[in-house]
Amino acid sequence: MATAQTRTLSRIMMAPAVIVLLIWMIVPLVMTLWFSFQNYSLINPMMTGFAGWANYLYVIGDPSFTQSLVNTLILVGGVLAITVIGGTFLALLLDQPIWGQGILRIIVISPFFVMPPVAALIWKNGFMHPGYGMLGHLWKFFGLQPVDWFNQYPLFSVIVIVAWQWLPFATLILLTALQSLSEEQREAAEMDGANAINRFYYIILPHMARSITIVILIQTIFLLGIFAEIRVTTGGGPGYASTNIAFLVFRTGILSNDIGAGSAGGVVAVVIANVVAFFLMRAVGKNLDA
Amino acid sequence: MGSISLKNVKKSFGEVQIIPDISLDIKDGEFVVFVGPSGCGKSTLLRLIAGLEDTTAGTILLDGEDMTKAPPARRGLAMVFQSYALYPHMTVRDNIAFPLKMAKASKEEIDKKVEYAARTLNLSSYLDRRPRALSGGQRQRVAIGRAIVREPKAFLFDEPLSNLDAALRVNMRLEITELHQQLKTTMIYVTHDQVEAMTMADRIVVLNAGNVEQFGSPLDLYKKPANRFVAGFIGSPKMNFVDGPEAAKHNAHSIGVRPEHFKLSKTAEAGTWKGKVGVAEQLGSDTFLHVHVDGLGLMTIRTDGDQTFSHGDDVYLTPDQTRIYRFDAAGKAI
Amino acid sequence: MARNVSVQTRIGFTIAAWAIALLLFSPILWVLLTAFKTEAEAIASSPTFFPQTFTLENFGAVQDRSDYFKHAFNSIVVSVGSTLLGLIIGIPAAWAMAFAPTKRTKDVLMWMLSTKMMPAVGVLIPIYLIFRDLRLLDTLQGLTIIMTLINLPIIIWMLYTYFKEIPVDILEAARMDGAELWNEIVHVLVPMAVPGIASTLLLNVILAWNEAFWTITLTSGRAGTLTAFISSFSSPQGLFLAKLSAASLLAIAPILLMGWFSQKQLVRGLTFGAVK
């Protein structure tokens, strides 16, 4: 519903955004693909030329890759489980008639605004340190031996930190969804004789289903790329115990200067993300009435 | 000056043809109303003239100049929208001044014209308010004020009264007509309400499915409808239509009689139709009777308000023989 | 919201909710309190809640050690700069998609969103090499460009959802009133969309401020933002807990305040308008 002139104008207006994003998407991706088939190491500049599948075989064949892939899945899965279940519970609680709801909302959302390295360092030093962390004090209070979290349970510790950051996000979105459920619908269910559990199962949960899907998908996108939390706490260790794919690429490509192998890892990461993206696009796209 | 000519204008959205082919000549200073049922293409036609939509084919001339491809800003027309489309972040003064600012008018000129428009439209005491602090009628006036200050070649009104309540609508109808008398500028007015069309227009364009059914003065349309559609659309209550043998008696495929062209009696006479009174709508001045006529169906009859009827009364109808409209099989008037 | 419940139930829910909320908030509270303690008190074997000796010396120490102000300045330049740049590119694009949509508009929007899904590590190496060759490594310009690119899809999406709520009539009225495109956008669209543009700005400043992949991998000293500043505290050196807290507080306080103000709009922005 517009004239040819507005359509022409609109193309011109969109051009800058489309062009920069097109370059941003294509150039580095093509380069990554190219490097992934090259022998290219910054340490050994003599080694050049076409590598075939060698980089992929090297990366995928390395036991550290399998472990990183498993770690990535555990990290994403663990954080999702904690945040979605915890978030649903918390959203239901905050939706009850309680005093100070507005302030509570602000308090609960706060961890989301803490930058990842700060979050990681607070937990690492203030809470999980066996000598002077708060959890150590708590363990001692109960007469237990303080736990050296990052050495004994490195991946679990990272999961806790990341979940702490993302629980507010899940809670806030699920709470928003919950509050859009009409009071009348709830009352109608009550009139129909549904008890609290039935109401949750038949009315509230279906109403929140879409928001839960969106929470899962958006978090997955971010969680696949978890980096800073690992970098400032465990550095991926001990060994590869807390290395995910993102950190593995960083380790191989930047820390070990093996551009070829790092790129191959990057391509693998892109493929994984695309699978998730496919589902997210479908969920968000349905809502789009363009 | 403000004459507007459409020559073989066509408009389709993709596969859907909205306007098959329209040619119209609107004279300078005329008040023309586009009327028709919803979806007849009347708003689209107005937007084509405004330049908010492209024509698929054909030409649009303003004062003889080809404006088919000109953007709305260059056409020198002003439009009043159904939603008023006031700028919510500007005061009434700034709303009215906006077109002048766009035309880079001087500060003094802007002030002078805004003051004048405000006085004409009784808005002087609201100039520093925002649109949301105004009533519907006041918003309407601001929208008109914004149109006036441009001194456009023609005003385009897109169902401007449909968001107002009934009493206000009658008032604004008069005000707009009065404005036209003062300004003598061409106005094109789109509405689905045939009462607005009849009361305001110099000439009416009756549109149906994107075609001009008839273009003429209100009384022309009332007295000499070109076809069954116009006959049924103009006039309130609607004309009664009769098909079959009763129409054949008048050498027509169908005939129409307006509710006000019946003689009503309680006794049988020659050539009358017998019926039973259904609902009687008493307005005081008039009474509208809905009569179930034997073999012919439901008819609406207008009588004066003095006679009273009850549900189930037997009545006899005599159509005024000189005022029977006759139509052929294609619906054209004979 | 006037559900009828007994006062006891209400008290129960209130206590439970506050307990969980404070538990979640405790790491931030810890930072807030420890930042004002002496180092000795911070690691004392029997921890204190409130600082026994209230001190501001940690903040001075942090400034001396890592130059907070330089990093904060860099953070502001990069987050505000990239957001403004994103708005300049994004507003016209969002105007086009909201008010002159075509059959392909939806696909373009989805495609823009898909660029956001690309994992940073997938393109880290080429970007690193390109930046090295263009001498953009460790510069504010380079970082601002990257941050603009990664946030541009979100900016366009948010603006698009806000613009969609503005009736097209009003823009058409402006066109009839003789406004060319520039005037239509500057005098009508932008002033009407101020709340939407403001929350887009706020959310994107927050996201850019907290971004911790590119800011860490592409900087070393000069252009380091607060994420890099705080990462320099990752290896403990002697007594540093109170200084770490002071540094953390300085890094998160501005954004925490902004976040509290914008939390209502946040949901919409982060879900690309899918949840309102």
Side-chain angles (χ1 to χ4, degrees):
Chain A
M1 292 275 282
T3 63
Q5 255 148 345
T6 26
R7 274 194 294 276
T8 312
L9 278 173
S10 88
R11 266 187 222 112
I12 296 169
M13 302 296 267
M14 275 169 69
V18 171
I19 290 168
V20 295
L21 284 177
L22 209 59
I23 293 171
W24 165 240
M25 188 174 80
I26 290 175
V27 173
L29 211 55
V30 169
M31 283 174 77
T32 305
L33 264 173
W34 170 254
F35 291 145
S36 71
F37 290 105
Q38 297 290 313
N39 288 310
Y40 188 176
S41 168
L42 296 175
I43 295 179
N44 189 351
M46 303 303 287
M47 216 173 65
T48 53
F50 186 64
W53 294 97
N55 287 321
Y56 287 91
L57 294 176
Y58 170 72
V59 168
I60 296 173
D62 194 312
S64 66
F65 174 78
T66 322
Q67 193 177 359
S68 305
L69 187 62
V70 171
N71 286 344
T72 306
L73 296 179
I74 295 176
L75 180 60
V76 173
V79 174
L80 280 180
I82 296 172
T83 53
V84 170
I85 297 170
T88 308
F89 171 75
L90 208 52
L92 283 171
L93 184 60
L94 290 178
D95 192 39
Q96 302 302 320
I98 45 179
W99 282 293
Q101 207 165 24
I103 302 170
L104 271 179
R105 223 176 123 107
I106 283 175
I107 291 178
V108 168
I109 187 68
S110 297
F112 186 69
F113 298 122
V114 175
M115 58 174 69
V118 168
L121 286 177
I122 298 175
W123 279 92
K124 183 187 182 186
N125 297 298
F127 282 76
M128 290 176 159
H129 192 280
Y132 44 76
M134 288 299 126
L135 294 178
H137 288 305
L138 195 66
W139 258 241
K140 272 183 266 180
F141 179 78
F142 287 108
L144 299 166
Q145 180 65 31
V147 181
D148 186 359
W149 294 95
F150 286 103
N151 276 319
Q152 289 174 268
Y153 310 105
L155 192 57
F156 174 76
S157 306
V158 173
I159 290 177
V160 168
I161 297 173
V162 177
W164 177 72
Q165 287 179 279
W166 284 93
L167 181 60
F169 171 79
T171 306
L172 190 66
I173 287 179
L174 296 178
L175 182 60
T176 308
L178 207 52
Q179 287 172 342
S180 73
L181 178 66
S182 75
E183 195 63 22
E184 276 159 30
Q185 209 178 335
R186 264 184 244 235
E187 284 168 355
E190 252 174 278
M191 298 290 289
D192 290 342
N195 62 23
I197 291 166
N198 280 333
R199 282 206 301 275
F200 176 72
Y201 196 76
Y202 291 108
I203 308 286
I204 295 173
L205 210 53
H207 177 79
M208 299 207 319
R210 215 175 73 89
S211 304
I212 291 176
T213 316
I214 287 165
V215 167
I216 290 176
L217 292 166
I218 290 174
Q219 282 200 31
T220 306
I221 295 297
F222 283 94
L223 297 179
L224 282 171
I226 289 296
F227 173 79
E229 291 86 340
I230 296 173
R231 173 110 171 110
V232 300
T233 55
T234 63
Y240 283 87
S242 58
T243 298
N244 64 355
I245 296 280
F247 201 73
L248 181 71
V249 174
F250 175 75
R251 257 177 127 157
T252 318
I254 304 293
L255 296 185
S256 313
N257 286 310
D258 189 341
I259 302 292
S263 299
V267 172
V268 173
V270 170
V271 170
I272 296 172
N274 268 301
V275 175
V276 181
F278 175 74
F279 289 103
L280 175 58
M281 308 292 261
R282 281 184 32 175
V284 176
K286 256 184 229 157
N287 189 57
L288 188 64
D289 52 346
Chain B
M1 287 296 285
S3 70
I4 299 170
S5 294
L6 310 186
K7 292 199 183 346
N8 301 103
V9 169
K10 301 182 170 89
K11 176 68 184 173
S12 353
F13 290 114
E15 295 292 295
V16 190
Q17 206 176 38
I18 305 291
I19 292 170
D21 188 344
I22 282 187
S23 298
L24 272 184
D25 278 301
I26 294 167
K27 290 191 221 93
D28 180 35
E30 249 189 323
F31 196 124
V32 171
V33 173
F34 294 172
V35 70
S38 54
C40 70
K42 55 190 188 297
S43 282
T44 305
L45 193 57
L46 193 75
R47 292 169 60 83
L48 289 175
I49 296 170
L52 295 171
E53 302 283 350
D54 281 333
T55 54
T56 308
T59 39
I60 295 172
L61 305 175
L62 300 180
D63 284 338
E65 194 186 341
D66 186 348
M67 287 284 191
T68 317
K69 296 268 184 280
R74 305 255 169 82
R75 296 195 182 193
L77 304 172
M79 183 149 164
V80 175
F81 290 80
Q82 181 172 4
S83 60
Y84 320 135
L86 300 180
Y87 310 121
H89 57 287
M90 298 182 195
T91 59
V92 169
R93 183 190 303 279
D94 291 339
N95 261 284
I96 298 176
F98 187 75
L100 297 170
K101 236 181 249 166
M102 291 298 107
K104 302 204 165 52
S106 69
K107 181 92 182 55
E108 299 82 64
E109 191 190 346
I110 292 178
D111 286 344
K112 208 181 78 195
K113 286 189 174 168
V114 170
E115 294 297 335
Y116 175 75
R119 238 178 306 121
T120 317
L121 294 162
N122 278 328
L123 285 168
S124 300
S125 43
Y126 305 108
L127 277 176
D128 294 312
R129 290 209 194 162
R130 304 247 165 175
R132 71 173 167 286
L134 301 179
S135 70
Q138 289 164 339
R139 285 179 207 191
Q140 180 69 74
R141 285 204 195 90
V142 177
I144 294 172
R146 194 171 62 180
I148 291 177
V149 291
R150 293 195 67 193
E151 293 167 9
K153 292 182 199 145
F155 291 96
L156 310 178
F157 292 91
D158 190 3
E159 308 215 18
L161 305 185
S162 54
N163 286 344
L164 300 177
D165 63 50
L168 207 50
R169 213 177 300 160
V170 175
N171 267 339
M172 287 306 296
R173 210 162 79 193
L174 289 173
E175 280 186 40
I176 292 174
T177 317
E178 185 63 37
L179 194 69
H180 179 244
Q181 299 298 335
Q182 268 181 45
L183 299 175
K184 307 231 182 302
T185 310
T186 313
M187 292 189 176
I188 302 180
Y189 186 105
V190 164
T191 180
H192 59 266
D193 179 353
Q194 62 97 20
V195 176
E196 274 176 28
M198 292 297 283
T199 51
M200 301 172 85
D202 293 328
R203 287 201 291 169
I204 297 176
V205 179
V206 181
L207 287 161
N208 184 32
N211 291 306
V212 175
E213 297 287 345
Q214 195 170 355
F215 183 20
S217 73
L219 285 182
D220 260 3
L221 265 51
Y222 178 82
K223 288 184 175 153
K224 293 192 269 283
N227 52 44
R228 210 180 134 152
F229 178 83
V230 176
F233 197 81
I234 300 292
S236 172
K238 271 179 67 145
M239 185 183 278
N240 301 293
F241 292 103
V242 175
D243 301 333
E246 197 64 39
K249 282 187 204 162
H250 294 88
N251 295 322
H253 179 78
S254 61
I255 55 168
V257 185
R258 295 198 184 277
E260 51 271 40
H261 298 156
F262 281 103
K263 229 175 73 198
L264 192 68
S265 67
K266 294 194 173 172
T267 53
E269 284 170 42
T272 56
W273 300 335
K274 180 175 179 286
K276 261 192 192 339
V277 173
V279 176
E281 295 176 296
Q282 296 185 316
L283 305 179
S285 57
D286 305 295
T287 301
F288 298 140
L289 289 182
H290 298 269
V291 180
H292 298 275
V293 180
D294 298 349
L296 299 177
L298 190 67
M299 292 202 180
T300 312
I301 316 299
R302 179 177 152 186
T303 71
D304 59 61
D306 300 331
Q307 289 171 279
T308 53
F309 295 89
S310 347
H311 195 90
D313 284 358
D314 280 331
V315 288
Y316 299 89
L317 309 175
T318 324
D320 180 345
Q321 293 299 319
T322 60
R323 282 168 158 172
I324 292 178
Y325 298 91
R326 302 184 305 134
F327 305 99
D328 65 14
K332 270 188 132 41
I334 324 177
Chain C
M1 283 294 1
R3 257 172 286 163
N4 278 326
V5 289
S6 65
V7 176
Q8 285 94 323
T9 324
R10 193 165 176 174
I11 291 174
F13 279 133
T14 304
I15 291 172
W18 276 94
I20 294 174
L22 289 178
L23 200 64
L24 278 176
F25 194 70
S26 60
I28 298 172
L29 195 63
W30 178 83
V31 165
L32 187 63
L33 295 170
T34 310
F36 299 99
K37 291 177 183 173
T38 62
E39 292 293 1
E41 189 185 336
I43 62 159
S45 54
S46 50
T48 53
F49 187 74
F50 284 110
Q52 301 301 303
T53 37
F54 184 86
T55 173
L56 291 174
E57 69 186 14
N58 297 315
F59 295 95
V62 162
Q63 172 61 23
D64 292 342
R65 177 177 179 267
S66 299
D67 198 350
Y68 168 79
F69 286 109
K70 185 187 82 182
H71 290 96
F73 174 76
N74 289 345
S75 269
I76 293 169
V77 169
V78 171
S79 58
V80 175
S82 68
T83 304
L84 291 180
L85 203 56
L87 285 175
I88 290 170
I89 303 172
I91 288 177
W95 169 86
M97 290 191 279
F99 299 114
T102 64
K103 274 181 245 128
R104 277 171 305 163
T105 300
K106 191 172 165 170
D107 298 331
V108 173
L109 272 167
M110 290 319 257
W111 165 73
M112 285 183 170
L113 189 57
S114 76
T115 66
K116 182 80 194 141
M117 319 256 155
M118 190 169 54
V121 288
V123 294
L124 168 63
I125 287 161
I127 294 294
Y128 189 84
L129 296 176
I130 292 170
F131 269 40
R132 191 194 59 190
D133 295 343
L134 296 178
R135 308 201 168 279
L136 283 171
L137 275 183
D138 202 17
T139 62
L140 290 176
Q141 295 94 310
L143 216 48
T144 306
I145 291 171
I146 290 289
M147 219 60 85
T148 307
L149 288 169
I150 60 175
N151 281 342
L152 190 57
I154 296 189
I155 290 182
I156 293 177
W157 260 86
M158 286 184 73
L159 290 174
Y160 170 79
T161 63
Y162 286 114
F163 285 1
K164 282 289 269 188
E165 288 175 4
I166 292 174
V168 70
D169 274 9
I170 296 183
L171 300 189
E172 288 182 342
R175 269 171 236 171
M176 292 301 297
D177 283 344
E180 306 283 344
L181 182 63
W182 170 254
N183 286 322
E184 175 184 326
I185 291 182
V186 172
H187 291 295
V188 180
L189 176 63
V190 169
M192 281 181 71
V194 160
I197 292 173
S199 47
T200 307
L201 188 130
L202 216 53
L203 178 65
N204 279 281
V205 168
I206 293 173
L207 289 178
W209 186 280
N210 285 347
E211 203 286 330
F213 180 80
W214 296 106
T215 49
I216 292 175
T217 51
L218 296 181
T219 64
S220 44
R222 271 186 307 137
T225 61
L226 285 173
T227 52
F229 158 82
I230 208 74
S231 299
S232 74
F233 285 82
S234 60
S235 38
Q237 310 164 318
L239 291 174
F240 84 116
L241 218 49
K243 288 186 202 70
L244 169 69
S245 297
S248 299
L249 189 59
L250 289 170
I252 64 174
I255 232 60
L256 206 53
L257 292 176
M258 282 176 68
W260 286 345
F261 282 114
S262 65
Q263 48 114 4
K264 285 250 161 72
Q265 283 74 38
L266 200 76
V267 173
R268 186 167 157 164
L270 287 171
T271 60
F272 309 103
V275 176
K276 284 180 197 168

